[in-house]
Amino acid sequence: MTTTDNAVEQSALDQSAAATSPTTSPTAADSGASASASFRSTSQYSGSGTATDSARVDTLARALLGAVHHVIRDHDVTYPEFQAAKKWLMDVGDGGEWPLFLDVFVEHAVEEVASRTQAGTKGTILGPYYLPEQVQLTSPATLPARPDEKGTPLLFRGQITDTDGTPVPHAVLDIWQADEKGYYSGFAPDIPSGNLRGVVTTDDKGVFEITTIQPAPYQVPTDGPTGALIAGAGWHPWRPAHLHLLVSAEGHRTVTTQLYFAGGDYLDSDVAEATKPELILDPTDVGDGTRQVTYDFVLERN
Ligand code: DHB
Ligand code: FE
């Protein structure tokens, strides 16, 4: 994909978000439609290069359908329940909520399998709100933010090394996060594109320093079919506050991860089950209202 395609795609995302809601409060339809458009345009993450091996398709399709049949038999599922489930599945598709739903309720298991073979910093889910081709910055860097961006200033610093401790020069941190209300640029109306997103290159010792704000916890949209399921089941719709990162370097395997905040709400009950104890930051106050934290990343060599 070219930069122009991405610019066009991004503007389509902005327009679809703006067109579906003139208010300042994002709806499930905003987030769902934008997340679906983004997934389709981000080919490196959509699995479009996966070969279809019919033995593998047979194995997985049989296992998946078998699991569904098992639930139906075990729980005496009725016709009205089957028809309600069918309608709900159609609503998730119509609302463009499949990326949201799958990344909240399924991706953590895929990531668990992927992480079995990855050394270094723990990974976790990508989620539906990554956008490629964001502004390129050099450490020390400040993420793009609105002039009146609310939230506690956060100075996030650290170093990237490989598994034997050797610094990785000019490693790259692609970072994105929610704002102080828990909303992501590109997926909610009224937030400028690229806000709180950036691709930061470290110095020649792998050292980085990024100024941003502390994100708020994220709430899965409550007004769509995913929200209806969560409410219907009596669950809560929250993810703990987090920073998203793709950490990469020439000759090294990219780590897809998130960092959380000690003492924050929902750390022990993440609706997406994507927290890990190794990924919790504990920033300290530096006096002027700013908080500061160091976190070092370890990348495996290819
Ligand atoms: C979802 C949102 C996130 O911000 C995230 O990190 C993971 C999943 C979601 O709504 O699917
Ligand atoms: Fe997120």
Side-chain angles (χ1 to χ4, degrees), residues 31 35 97-105 107 125-130 176-178 182 184 218-221 226 237 239-240 242-244 258 260 270-272 274:
S31 320
E97 284 200 14
W98 280 119
L100 263 68
F101 177 84
L102 292 170
D103 292 355
V104 163
F105 290 111
E107 189 186 353
I125 66 172
L126 176 72
Y129 297 143
Y130 174 65
W176 69 105
Q177 64 170 96
Y184 288 85
Y218 164 85
Q219 185 181 29
V220 177
T226 303
R239 297 211 61 223
H242 55 278
L243 303 172
H244 287 270
Q258 302 183 23
Y260 304 91
D270 180 5
V271 66

Side-chain angles (χ1 to χ4, degrees), residues 19-264:
T20 50
S21 175
T23 70
T24 52
S25 179
T27 64
D30 294 328
S31 320
S34 301
S36 290
S38 170
F39 178 75
R40 288 190 212 279
S41 71
T42 312
S43 54
Q44 69 265 41
Y45 290 104
S46 68
S48 56
T50 306
T52 33
D53 167 348
S54 100
R56 180 75 171 159
V57 174
D58 176 55
T59 301
L60 297 184
R62 265 179 209 278
L64 181 60
L65 291 169
V68 172
H69 303 155
H70 196 81
V71 169
I72 292 168
R73 293 191 185 105
D74 267 14
H75 296 275
D76 300 322
V77 171
T78 64
Y79 260 99
E81 287 169 339
F82 173 56
Q83 304 300 16
K86 207 187 287 181
K87 179 178 181 305
W88 180 84
L89 289 162
M90 291 164 67
D91 290 346
V92 173
D94 292 347
E97 284 200 14
W98 280 119
L100 263 68
F101 177 84
L102 292 170
D103 292 355
V104 163
F105 290 111
V106 180
E107 189 186 353
H108 67 87
V110 182
E111 194 284 325
E112 183 187 312
V113 172
S115 73
R116 286 178 193 158
T117 61
Q118 186 154 20
T121 298
K122 293 281 180 203
T124 189
I125 66 172
L126 176 72
Y129 297 143
Y130 174 65
L131 291 172
E133 315 268 336
Q134 299 301 307
V135 66
Q136 306 231 15
L137 305 164
T138 304
S139 176
T142 300
L143 291 191
R146 290 161 284 191
D148 58 346
E149 194 73 49
K150 306 279 191 301
T152 305
L154 178 69
L155 182 57
F156 170 45
R157 44 163 62 125
Q159 184 176 29
I160 295 158
T161 64
D162 65 27
T163 44
D164 67 13
T166 313
V168 179
H170 310 299
V172 175
L173 294 101
D174 193 335
I175 178 165
W176 69 105
Q177 64 170 96
D179 67 8
E180 186 260 356
K181 288 186 173 156
Y183 297 132
Y184 288 85
S185 62
F187 300 90
D190 302 338
I191 305 180
S193 33
N195 205 62
L196 299 176
R197 297 173 181 271
V199 182
V200 181
T201 301
T202 68
D203 72 10
D204 58 4
K205 296 186 176 57
V207 170
F208 67 90
E209 190 175 302
I210 299 169
T211 300
T212 182
I213 56 134
Q214 267 202 214
Y218 164 85
Q219 185 181 29
V220 177
T222 52
D223 59 333
T226 303
L229 172 70
I230 291 170
W235 303 336
H236 79 62
W238 292 96
R239 297 211 61 223
H242 55 278
L243 303 172
H244 287 270
L245 294 130
L246 290 175
V247 186
S248 63
E250 193 69 29
H252 293 74
R253 190 166 161 190
T254 299
V255 171
T256 300
T257 197
Q258 302 183 23
L259 295 172
Y260 304 91
F261 296 89

